[in-house]
Amino acid sequence: ADFSLHGKTDMVSGSNKKDIHYLHVDMARDSFAEYFDIRKAKDGDPCGQCGAPFTILRGIEVGHIFYLGKKYSKAMHATVQNEHGEVVEMEMGCYGIGVGRTAAAAIEQNHDERGIIWPPSIAPYHIHLVQLGVDPELSAACEEIYRRLEAASFEVLFDDRDERAGVKFNDADLIGCPVRIALGNRGLKNREIEVLPRGAQNQGPIMVSLESDYVDKLQEILALCRTAA
C-alpha cells in the first residue's frame, strides 16, 4: 500500500466482488500491507517530511543526458585501461541540447506584456533600427546609420516600411531585440537618435547625438543589456 494509507481507519474498499464493498476498513486491523511510495503526488498534497503543500509547476526540458552503459562500447570494442592496467569496455553516455527549447525557455523568462525581451547572447539581431518616415534625406541618414553599425559588427534589423510610428514600435516590442534605435524628421533636424533598451523600456529613451561616436555609445548600452540579462 502507499504510505498515505498508513494508519488510516473507517475507510471503504473494494472486495473483489461485483457491487460489493467493505465498510469501516482499518489498515492496521484488516490488512497486512507493506508500505511503499506508490501514489503519484498531486498539486496541494502535503509533503511527507514537512507537511507543506506540494506544488506542481510546468517546465521546459532544455537538455538531457542518457546513460548508455556498455551497450555500444561492447559492440564497437571500445576499450580503455583502468587504474589497475586492465583493459575494460568504457562506460558511455550522451547528451543533447535543444536549440528551439533553449529559445523557448529564454522567452518564457524574458518577456513583458508587449512581447519578447531577448537576451543579447541569443537575440536574432542586436539592434532594431526604426525609420520614422520616408523622406529621401531621412532614408539616407538611416542607411548611413545602418552601414556604420553593420561595419562595427552589430547585427541590425532595419525597418524602413512606410507604416505609422505606432505600428513599427509595437512590432519592435513584439520582436524584442535588445536595443531599439528610432530616427524621424524631428530627430534628424536635432541631429540625434532615440535609443531604447528593450529591457528598460519604462525608464524612457536615451537621446544620442548623431555628431558623436554613437557606435561606441551603443556598444556600452548593449554591454549593459548583457549584464542585466
Side-chain angles (χ1 to χ4, degrees):
D2 184 75
F3 285 129
S4 62
L5 291 174
H6 191 271
K8 295 293 184 181
T9 61
D10 202 26
M11 297 189 298
V12 178
S13 79
S15 64
N16 293 327
K17 295 181 181 179
K18 185 178 179 181
D19 298 327
I20 297 177
H21 292 75
Y22 290 130
L23 305 179
H24 311 296
V25 175
D26 183 318
M27 289 298 292
R29 182 192 64 202
D30 301 324
S31 78
F32 300 95
E34 292 185 66
Y35 292 96
F36 300 93
D37 186 9
I38 299 171
R39 180 176 174 270
K40 183 178 180 180
K42 296 181 179 179
D43 195 71
D45 283 350
C47 171
Q49 296 181 354
C50 68
F54 182 68
T55 302
I56 296 177
L57 302 173
R58 292 184 63 82
I60 297 176
E61 181 190 280
V62 175
H64 49 229
I65 300 172
F66 293 113
Y67 172 60
L68 302 175
K70 297 181 179 180
K71 179 178 180 180
Y72 297 103
S73 59
K74 185 175 182 179
M76 296 186 294
H77 305 290
T79 60
V80 294
Q81 279 192 341
N82 64 17
E83 65 272 24
H84 306 296
E86 301 166 336
V87 176
V88 296
E89 291 153 350
M90 63 178 67
E91 301 276 351
M92 294 181 66
C94 67
Y95 69 92
I97 297 175
V99 176
R101 292 179 179 193
T102 301
I107 293 170
E108 187 177 75
Q109 297 174 68
N110 299 277
H111 69 276
D112 60 17
E113 67 279 3
R114 302 181 185 96
I116 302 170
I117 304 174
W118 282 107
S121 58
I122 60 171
Y125 298 92
H126 298 129
I127 294 173
H128 196 149
L129 173 59
V130 180
Q131 178 180 318
L132 302 176
V134 293
D135 294 344
E137 186 179 359
L138 177 62
S139 296
C142 289
E143 288 281 356
E144 174 61 22
I145 293 170
Y146 177 75
R147 285 193 294 269
R148 283 191 63 183
L149 294 177
E150 286 277 309
S153 298
F154 285 110
E155 295 173 345
V156 184
L157 176 61
F158 184 10
D159 185 355
D160 60 352
R161 295 175 296 163
D162 185 9
E163 283 283 3
R164 291 179 290 109
V167 172
K168 290 189 169 188
F169 287 155
N170 284 338
D171 287 347
D173 289 344
L174 183 64
I175 295 169
C177 298
V179 176
R180 188 189 81 199
I181 294 177
L183 181 63
N185 288 320
R186 181 185 298 177
L188 185 61
K189 181 179 178 180
N190 297 330
R191 303 300 295 165
E192 59 184 11
I193 54 177
E194 180 183 292
V195 180
L196 187 66
R198 179 67 180 86
Q201 216 153 354
N202 294 332
Q203 299 177 21
I206 303 166
M207 307 309 295
V208 178
S209 172
L210 277 171
E211 310 304 333
S212 67
D213 193 347
Y214 56 81
V215 171
D216 285 348
K217 182 63 177 178
L218 289 170
Q219 292 279 18
E220 294 174 12
I221 293 172
L222 194 61
L224 290 174
C225 292
R226 291 191 179 98
T227 303

